mmCIF file of all heavy atoms in Angstrom:
data_model
loop_
_atom_site.group_PDB
_atom_site.id
_atom_site.type_symbol
_atom_site.label_atom_id
_atom_site.label_comp_id
_atom_site.label_asym_id
_atom_site.label_seq_id
_atom_site.Cartn_x
_atom_site.Cartn_y
_atom_site.Cartn_z
ATOM 1 N N ILE A 429 -20.373 17.587 23.709
ATOM 2 C CA ILE A 429 -19.623 16.744 24.668
ATOM 3 C C ILE A 429 -18.118 16.843 24.365
ATOM 4 O O ILE A 429 -17.299 17.062 25.253
ATOM 5 C CB ILE A 429 -20.122 15.251 24.538
ATOM 6 C CG1 ILE A 429 -21.525 15.170 24.979
ATOM 7 C CG2 ILE A 429 -19.200 14.348 25.359
ATOM 8 C CD1 ILE A 429 -21.838 15.500 26.412
ATOM 9 N N GLY A 430 -17.753 16.689 23.103
ATOM 10 C CA GLY A 430 -16.365 16.808 22.696
ATOM 11 C C GLY A 430 -15.433 15.945 23.548
ATOM 12 O O GLY A 430 -15.752 14.778 23.850
ATOM 13 N N ARG A 433 -16.481 16.624 28.112
ATOM 14 C CA ARG A 433 -17.455 15.911 28.943
ATOM 15 C C ARG A 433 -17.510 14.421 28.683
ATOM 16 O O ARG A 433 -18.375 13.739 29.176
ATOM 17 C CB ARG A 433 -18.831 16.535 28.715
ATOM 18 C CG ARG A 433 -18.978 18.000 29.130
ATOM 19 C CD ARG A 433 -18.918 18.244 30.585
ATOM 20 N NE ARG A 433 -18.961 19.616 30.954
ATOM 21 C CZ ARG A 433 -18.301 20.166 31.962
ATOM 22 N NH1 ARG A 433 -17.523 19.403 32.734
ATOM 23 N NH2 ARG A 433 -18.426 21.437 32.244
ATOM 24 N N VAL A 434 -16.631 13.949 27.821
ATOM 25 C CA VAL A 434 -16.818 12.578 27.331
ATOM 26 C C VAL A 434 -16.736 11.536 28.453
ATOM 27 O O VAL A 434 -17.455 10.536 28.497
ATOM 28 C CB VAL A 434 -15.829 12.296 26.184
ATOM 29 C CG1 VAL A 434 -14.415 12.196 26.662
ATOM 30 C CG2 VAL A 434 -16.241 10.997 25.440
ATOM 31 N N SER A 435 -15.886 11.841 29.442
ATOM 32 C CA SER A 435 -15.711 10.842 30.522
ATOM 33 C C SER A 435 -16.949 10.819 31.418
ATOM 34 O O SER A 435 -17.182 9.886 32.184
ATOM 35 C CB SER A 435 -14.484 11.183 31.367
ATOM 36 O OG SER A 435 -14.682 12.397 32.025
ATOM 37 N N GLU A 436 -17.776 11.866 31.326
ATOM 38 C CA GLU A 436 -18.980 11.894 32.169
ATOM 39 C C GLU A 436 -20.192 11.136 31.555
ATOM 40 O O GLU A 436 -21.205 10.922 32.239
ATOM 41 C CB GLU A 436 -19.441 13.340 32.432
ATOM 42 C CG GLU A 436 -18.434 14.125 33.284
ATOM 43 C CD GLU A 436 -18.928 15.547 33.550
ATOM 44 O OE1 GLU A 436 -20.073 15.668 34.047
ATOM 45 O OE2 GLU A 436 -18.217 16.512 33.238
ATOM 46 N N MET A 437 -20.057 10.780 30.277
ATOM 47 C CA MET A 437 -21.200 10.183 29.585
ATOM 48 C C MET A 437 -21.736 8.974 30.316
ATOM 49 O O MET A 437 -22.945 8.819 30.516
ATOM 50 C CB MET A 437 -20.839 9.886 28.154
ATOM 51 C CG MET A 437 -20.782 11.120 27.257
ATOM 52 S SD MET A 437 -22.418 11.859 26.878
ATOM 53 C CE MET A 437 -22.925 10.897 25.476
ATOM 54 N N PRO A 438 -20.880 8.015 30.725
ATOM 55 C CA PRO A 438 -21.422 6.833 31.399
ATOM 56 C C PRO A 438 -22.123 7.156 32.679
ATOM 57 O O PRO A 438 -23.054 6.426 33.105
ATOM 58 C CB PRO A 438 -20.160 5.938 31.676
ATOM 59 C CG PRO A 438 -19.125 6.450 30.681
ATOM 60 C CD PRO A 438 -19.429 7.912 30.521
ATOM 61 N N LEU A 446 -26.826 4.909 26.158
ATOM 62 C CA LEU A 446 -25.411 4.808 25.743
ATOM 63 C C LEU A 446 -25.214 3.642 24.790
ATOM 64 O O LEU A 446 -24.470 3.743 23.798
ATOM 65 C CB LEU A 446 -24.591 4.667 26.992
ATOM 66 C CG LEU A 446 -23.204 5.332 27.036
ATOM 67 C CD1 LEU A 446 -23.250 6.786 26.584
ATOM 68 C CD2 LEU A 446 -22.625 5.237 28.423
ATOM 69 N N MET A 449 -26.450 4.514 21.404
ATOM 70 C CA MET A 449 -25.523 5.456 20.738
ATOM 71 C C MET A 449 -24.253 4.671 20.197
ATOM 72 O O MET A 449 -23.810 4.970 19.101
ATOM 73 C CB MET A 449 -25.122 6.584 21.656
ATOM 74 C CG MET A 449 -26.275 7.568 21.917
ATOM 75 S SD MET A 449 -25.737 8.988 22.875
ATOM 76 C CE MET A 449 -27.385 9.701 23.253
ATOM 77 N N HIS A 450 -23.719 3.814 21.013
ATOM 78 C CA HIS A 450 -22.578 2.991 20.590
ATOM 79 C C HIS A 450 -22.949 2.198 19.347
ATOM 80 O O HIS A 450 -22.127 2.036 18.434
ATOM 81 C CB HIS A 450 -22.107 2.094 21.703
ATOM 82 C CG HIS A 450 -21.121 2.784 22.615
ATOM 83 N ND1 HIS A 450 -19.921 3.311 22.223
ATOM 84 C CD2 HIS A 450 -21.202 3.083 23.952
ATOM 85 C CE1 HIS A 450 -19.302 3.860 23.236
ATOM 86 N NE2 HIS A 450 -20.052 3.734 24.313
ATOM 87 N N LYS A 453 -23.036 4.415 16.371
ATOM 88 C CA LYS A 453 -21.639 4.760 16.004
ATOM 89 C C LYS A 453 -21.015 3.577 15.229
ATOM 90 O O LYS A 453 -20.405 3.762 14.188
ATOM 91 C CB LYS A 453 -20.879 5.065 17.232
ATOM 92 C CG LYS A 453 -19.354 5.153 17.037
ATOM 93 C CD LYS A 453 -18.913 6.416 16.335
ATOM 94 C CE LYS A 453 -17.406 6.520 16.317
ATOM 95 N NZ LYS A 453 -16.973 7.645 15.428
ATOM 96 N N GLY A 460 -14.281 2.964 13.696
ATOM 97 C CA GLY A 460 -14.012 3.994 14.689
ATOM 98 C C GLY A 460 -13.033 5.070 14.252
ATOM 99 O O GLY A 460 -12.265 5.546 15.064
ATOM 100 N N ASN A 463 -13.431 11.138 14.208
ATOM 101 C CA ASN A 463 -13.315 11.940 15.442
ATOM 102 C C ASN A 463 -13.316 11.097 16.714
ATOM 103 O O ASN A 463 -14.095 11.322 17.650
ATOM 104 C CB ASN A 463 -14.465 12.972 15.488
ATOM 105 C CG ASN A 463 -14.001 14.318 16.127
ATOM 106 O OD1 ASN A 463 -12.803 14.472 16.415
ATOM 107 N ND2 ASN A 463 -14.896 15.221 16.328
ATOM 108 N N PRO A 464 -12.353 10.154 16.772
ATOM 109 C CA PRO A 464 -12.317 9.257 17.924
ATOM 110 C C PRO A 464 -12.065 10.023 19.250
ATOM 111 O O PRO A 464 -11.386 11.033 19.239
ATOM 112 C CB PRO A 464 -11.195 8.313 17.572
ATOM 113 C CG PRO A 464 -10.386 8.982 16.574
ATOM 114 C CD PRO A 464 -11.317 9.851 15.777
ATOM 115 N N GLY A 465 -12.651 9.506 20.300
ATOM 116 C CA GLY A 465 -12.428 10.144 21.622
ATOM 117 C C GLY A 465 -13.351 11.293 21.880
ATOM 118 O O GLY A 465 -13.326 11.861 22.968
ATOM 119 N N LYS A 466 -14.204 11.676 20.905
ATOM 120 C CA LYS A 466 -15.141 12.740 21.140
ATOM 121 C C LYS A 466 -16.572 12.135 21.322
ATOM 122 O O LYS A 466 -16.850 11.106 20.705
ATOM 123 C CB LYS A 466 -15.210 13.680 19.921
ATOM 124 C CG LYS A 466 -13.848 14.029 19.333
ATOM 125 C CD LYS A 466 -12.980 14.865 20.295
ATOM 126 C CE LYS A 466 -11.507 14.866 19.851
ATOM 127 N NZ LYS A 466 -11.271 15.254 18.466
ATOM 128 N N LEU A 467 -17.362 12.813 22.074
ATOM 129 C CA LEU A 467 -18.795 12.500 22.286
ATOM 130 C C LEU A 467 -18.989 11.140 23.025
ATOM 131 O O LEU A 467 -19.631 11.139 24.047
ATOM 132 C CB LEU A 467 -19.534 12.506 20.971
ATOM 133 C CG LEU A 467 -21.062 12.580 21.081
ATOM 134 C CD1 LEU A 467 -21.657 13.343 19.846
ATOM 135 C CD2 LEU A 467 -21.748 11.287 21.219
ATOM 136 N N LEU A 468 -18.514 10.044 22.466
ATOM 137 C CA LEU A 468 -18.697 8.736 23.107
ATOM 138 C C LEU A 468 -17.412 8.216 23.685
ATOM 139 O O LEU A 468 -16.393 8.217 23.010
ATOM 140 C CB LEU A 468 -19.210 7.743 22.112
ATOM 141 C CG LEU A 468 -20.691 7.751 21.748
ATOM 142 C CD1 LEU A 468 -21.012 6.728 20.677
ATOM 143 C CD2 LEU A 468 -21.536 7.490 22.996
ATOM 144 N N PRO A 469 -17.424 7.762 24.943
ATOM 145 C CA PRO A 469 -16.231 7.144 25.483
ATOM 146 C C PRO A 469 -15.966 5.834 24.722
ATOM 147 O O PRO A 469 -16.884 5.255 24.132
ATOM 148 C CB PRO A 469 -16.622 6.860 26.936
ATOM 149 C CG PRO A 469 -18.115 6.869 26.948
ATOM 150 C CD PRO A 469 -18.539 7.747 25.848
ATOM 151 N N ALA A 470 -14.710 5.402 24.685
ATOM 152 C CA ALA A 470 -14.412 4.137 24.032
ATOM 153 C C ALA A 470 -15.354 3.067 24.585
ATOM 154 O O ALA A 470 -15.583 2.991 25.777
ATOM 155 C CB ALA A 470 -12.953 3.757 24.298
ATOM 156 N N ALA A 471 -15.909 2.301 23.664
ATOM 157 C CA ALA A 471 -16.924 1.310 24.068
ATOM 158 C C ALA A 471 -16.258 0.236 24.949
ATOM 159 O O ALA A 471 -15.110 -0.154 24.738
ATOM 160 C CB ALA A 471 -17.539 0.629 22.836
ATOM 161 N N THR A 472 -16.988 -0.176 25.960
ATOM 162 C CA THR A 472 -16.514 -1.285 26.767
ATOM 163 C C THR A 472 -16.681 -2.569 25.980
ATOM 164 O O THR A 472 -17.755 -2.818 25.389
ATOM 165 C CB THR A 472 -17.376 -1.436 28.031
ATOM 166 O OG1 THR A 472 -17.968 -0.155 28.304
ATOM 167 C CG2 THR A 472 -16.545 -1.855 29.238
ATOM 168 N N ARG A 473 -15.662 -3.330 25.882
ATOM 169 C CA ARG A 473 -15.785 -4.615 25.156
ATOM 170 C C ARG A 473 -16.489 -5.615 26.038
ATOM 171 O O ARG A 473 -16.264 -5.701 27.221
ATOM 172 C CB ARG A 473 -14.367 -5.159 24.816
ATOM 173 C CG ARG A 473 -13.473 -4.188 24.084
ATOM 174 C CD ARG A 473 -13.853 -4.023 22.619
ATOM 175 N NE ARG A 473 -13.294 -2.791 22.054
ATOM 176 C CZ ARG A 473 -13.855 -2.136 21.078
ATOM 177 N NH1 ARG A 473 -14.972 -2.554 20.525
ATOM 178 N NH2 ARG A 473 -13.303 -1.067 20.591
ATOM 179 N N ASN A 474 -17.368 -6.393 25.441
ATOM 180 C CA ASN A 474 -18.038 -7.411 26.205
ATOM 181 C C ASN A 474 -17.266 -8.704 26.203
ATOM 182 O O ASN A 474 -16.662 -9.055 25.200
ATOM 183 C CB ASN A 474 -19.443 -7.686 25.622
ATOM 184 C CG ASN A 474 -20.311 -6.433 25.764
ATOM 185 O OD1 ASN A 474 -20.322 -5.819 26.800
ATOM 186 N ND2 ASN A 474 -21.014 -6.058 24.703
#
Side-chain angles (χ1 to χ4, degrees):
Chain A
I429 296 297
R433 299 289 178 216
V434 70
S435 66
E436 293 183 54
M437 286 289 273
L446 215 51
M449 288 186 190
H450 275 299
K453 169 71 174 173
N463 216 4
K466 317 292 163 54
L467 198 150
L468 280 177
T472 337
R473 307 284 161 209
N474 295 316

